[in-house]
Amino acid sequence: MESVRVDCWLWAVRLMKTRPDAAAACRGGHVRVNDRPAKASTVLVPGDEVRIRTGGTTRVIEVTNTIRKRVGAAVAATCLIDRTPKPPPETLIPVARRDRGTGRPTKRERRVLDRFQQQ
């Protein structure tokens, strides 16, 4: 197993859509390797722990295999172990439900829903 840059690895195992996105996440301080802020050029080896903050959640990933090239999703899943803790059930956002056949929400109802979702 060889070492590989963190931005290349994040892209190769499909945690980031593009390599520039992975580099930008590193520059923005959203990526940590072994509890230290990571630059895009930080070297990863198997056994390292990577924390990535995306979309308001923090994912905890353990590196099991280092790869440089982007591979299929099935192969990429073998290169990492996802150790992200499950969110507590009370933090899940309830989904607004409408009765069947009531039609589209009115403008007033949409404003109320938007206010509710922003809280």
Side-chain angles (χ1 to χ4, degrees):
M1 307 279 168
E2 73 254 6
S3 58
V4 65
R5 290 170 52 115
V6 69
D7 62 338
C8 291
W9 187 81
L10 290 172
W11 168 74
V13 297
R14 299 171 173 264
L15 292 173
M16 294 285 184
K17 201 165 202 160
T18 64
R19 186 169 167 211
D21 285 346
C26 292
R27 274 194 310 275
H30 301 290
V31 179
R32 297 177 72 83
V33 176
N34 297 328
D35 285 330
R36 289 192 202 128
K39 292 184 179 180
S41 62
T42 301
V43 176
L44 286 179
V45 293
D48 282 346
E49 180 186 84
V50 180
R51 290 180 181 266
I52 310 157
R53 193 169 60 232
T54 56
T57 61
T58 301
R59 295 186 66 187
V60 180
I61 309 293
E62 182 181 335
V63 179
T64 58
N65 190 7
T66 54
I67 57 174
R68 292 178 191 268
K69 300 285 183 179
R70 194 164 173 103
V71 294
V75 178
T78 64
C79 297
L80 58 92
I81 298 172
D82 193 352
R83 301 203 185 278
T84 306
K86 299 222 186 242
E90 64 270 1
T91 61
L92 298 175
I93 299 171
V95 178
R97 300 268 182 207
R98 291 183 56 85
D99 293 331
R100 188 172 176 90
T102 58
R104 292 181 56 183
T106 63
K107 191 171 187 176
R108 181 172 181 257
E109 289 171 337
R110 284 196 307 267
R111 283 193 208 115
V112 170
L113 284 172
D114 288 342
R115 254 186 261 122
F116 177 73
Q117 289 175 349
Q118 289 175 356
Q119 291 179 1

